[in-house]
Amino acid sequence: MFRNSYDNDSITYSPTGRLFQVEYALEAIKQGSASVGLVSKTHAVVVALKRSAEELGSYQKKIIRIDDHLGIALAGLAPDARVLSNFMRQQAMSSRMIYNRPIPISRVVSAIGDKAQRNTQTYGRRPYGVGLLVAGFDETGPHLFEFQPSGTVLEYFGAAIGARSQSARTYLERNFDQFPEASLEDLVLHGLRALRDTLAQDKELLAQNTSIGIVGLDTKFTLYDNDDVRGWLEKLGNVGSTRGRRPPEEREPEATEDAPVTDAPPPEETDTVEPIETDA
C-alpha cells in the first residue's frame, strides 16, 4: 500500500474505479487475529483467537454477545467493533420493546451494513476498520453473516476473517459438506481445527487465547472463555499449528516390514577424469 492523490478520503474514486480508503480498511482486518464461523441446521458457532498487546497485559475480547439469540466475532480494530456492537444492541432492544420479539438476524446485519456504507458517501468520515462474523438464530433457523467495512453483508455456511484466514477457509471448503448434519460438538471441533490452521508455527490454542460462541435451537448465545474452553481443547487433542504440513492422504507411504530387502552391494565408485577445456 502507498499513498496517492485518490486516498485522502473515502468518497473519491480513482480512475480505475477504486475507493482506496475502503481497501485500506480491508487491510486492517487482515492485521487482526483470526475468527472463524460455521453453521449447521440447528446451531451457529463462532471461534476466535485472542491476542495480548504484551506479556503483562490481558487478552483482547474477540466475541461479543449482542442478545440472547445473537453474537459477533471480530477481526481488526476492536474500538470500531465496540461502536458497532453497541449499535446492534440498540437495534435488538428496540425490536423487543416495540415489537416484543427478537430482531431478525438479516435485519440487524442490514442495519450495520447501511451504517457502514454511509461512511463511504460522506466527506470527513472513514470506513470502519473491522470485520464481523455475525452468528444468530431466529424463526428461520441459524445464520452466519460476514460484515465488511464497505457495507457488504453476505451469508455463509462457513467463513473466516483475520490474519492467515486463508488457511482456515481452505479447511472449511474441504469439509463444509459435513456441516449441515453435524452435531454441536462436531461443529465446534470443526471450527477449532480451522482456527488452529491460522496459528503461527510456534503457537498453540490455549484456554487463555481461545474464545467460543454458540447459539442455536433451544440454546441462548453462550460464550466460552478461559477455563470454560479447556474441555473443548481436550476433545480437539492436537492444539499446535498444522500449517505447512501435508494432509494424511497426500503423504508418501512409509516403508513396511514386508518390503523386499536386497543384499546387493552398492555400486562401486569409479574415478573419472573430466576433459580439460583449452582456449586453443
Side-chain angles (χ1 to χ4, degrees):
M1 292 294 183
F2 56 91
R3 293 191 57 81
N4 58 59
S5 58
Y6 298 99
D7 67 353
N8 294 322
D9 57 67
S10 62
I11 64 174
T12 303
Y13 285 99
S14 74
T16 57
R18 298 165 63 182
L19 291 174
F20 287 104
Q21 286 287 334
V22 175
E23 294 184 11
Y24 296 164
L26 293 172
E27 288 298 318
I29 298 174
K30 298 178 182 178
Q31 304 303 316
S33 56
S35 295
V36 177
L38 55 168
V39 64
S40 68
K41 288 184 177 180
T42 57
H43 292 84
V45 171
V46 286
V47 296
L49 185 66
K50 297 185 290 186
R51 284 180 181 169
S52 60
E54 55 184 47
E55 293 185 2
L56 298 179
S58 62
Y59 284 89
Q60 178 67 53
K61 190 174 183 179
K62 291 280 292 183
I63 298 179
I64 302 174
R65 176 187 173 275
I66 303 299
D67 201 348
D68 287 342
H69 70 301
L70 175 65
I72 61 173
L74 65 99
L77 299 180
D80 287 7
R82 187 171 62 247
V83 171
L84 289 173
S85 65
N86 289 337
F87 174 76
M88 295 174 70
R89 284 171 174 164
Q90 292 174 0
Q91 296 295 310
M93 183 173 60
S94 296
S95 178
R96 289 188 179 275
M97 293 182 64
I98 297 174
Y99 302 107
N100 193 28
R101 67 167 186 172
I103 189 170
I105 309 303
S106 59
R107 179 176 298 176
V108 69
V109 296
S110 295
I112 61 172
D114 293 342
K115 184 177 178 67
Q117 195 275 337
R118 284 194 291 271
N119 288 356
T120 67
Q121 287 189 304
T122 305
Y123 187 83
R125 295 186 178 184
R126 67 163 176 82
Y128 293 104
V130 67
L132 303 178
L133 294 179
V134 183
F137 186 93
D138 57 21
E139 57 188 11
T140 61
H143 299 279
L144 175 69
F145 289 89
E146 180 186 351
F147 160 84
Q148 296 181 356
S150 61
T152 301
V153 178
L154 298 172
E155 186 169 8
Y156 287 89
F157 293 109
I161 56 177
R164 295 180 291 274
S165 59
Q166 182 56 51
S167 298
R169 281 194 291 270
T170 299
Y171 176 88
L172 296 175
E173 290 169 0
R174 288 176 177 172
N175 298 277
F176 80 95
D177 56 335
Q178 304 175 28
F179 298 164
E181 304 297 335
S183 64
L184 175 59
E185 179 177 329
D186 291 339
L187 198 64
V188 174
L189 292 179
H190 278 303
L192 290 175
R193 293 187 190 105
L195 186 67
R196 182 180 62 189
D197 287 350
T198 68
L199 292 171
Q201 293 187 359
D202 58 339
K203 301 296 183 180
E204 292 183 346
L205 293 179
L206 304 172
Q208 293 79 16
N209 67 5
T210 307
S211 291
I212 302 172
I214 298 172
V215 65
L217 183 64
D218 299 326
T219 304
K220 294 183 178 181
F221 188 88
T222 305
L223 177 60
Y224 295 89
D225 263 327
N226 300 322
D227 291 340
D228 296 334
V229 181
R230 294 187 188 276
W232 292 108
L233 296 180
E234 291 174 359
K235 294 178 181 178
L236 178 64
N238 181 17
V239 295
S241 172
T242 59
R243 295 178 66 242
R245 302 180 188 177
R246 299 170 63 184
E249 61 272 13
E250 297 181 6
R251 296 175 185 169
E252 297 179 358
E254 299 180 356
T256 62
E257 296 180 357
D258 297 334
V261 180
T262 61
D263 296 327
E268 297 181 358
E269 296 182 359
T270 59
D271 296 331
T272 58
V273 179
E274 298 181 355
I276 300 176
E277 297 182 358
T278 64
D279 295 332

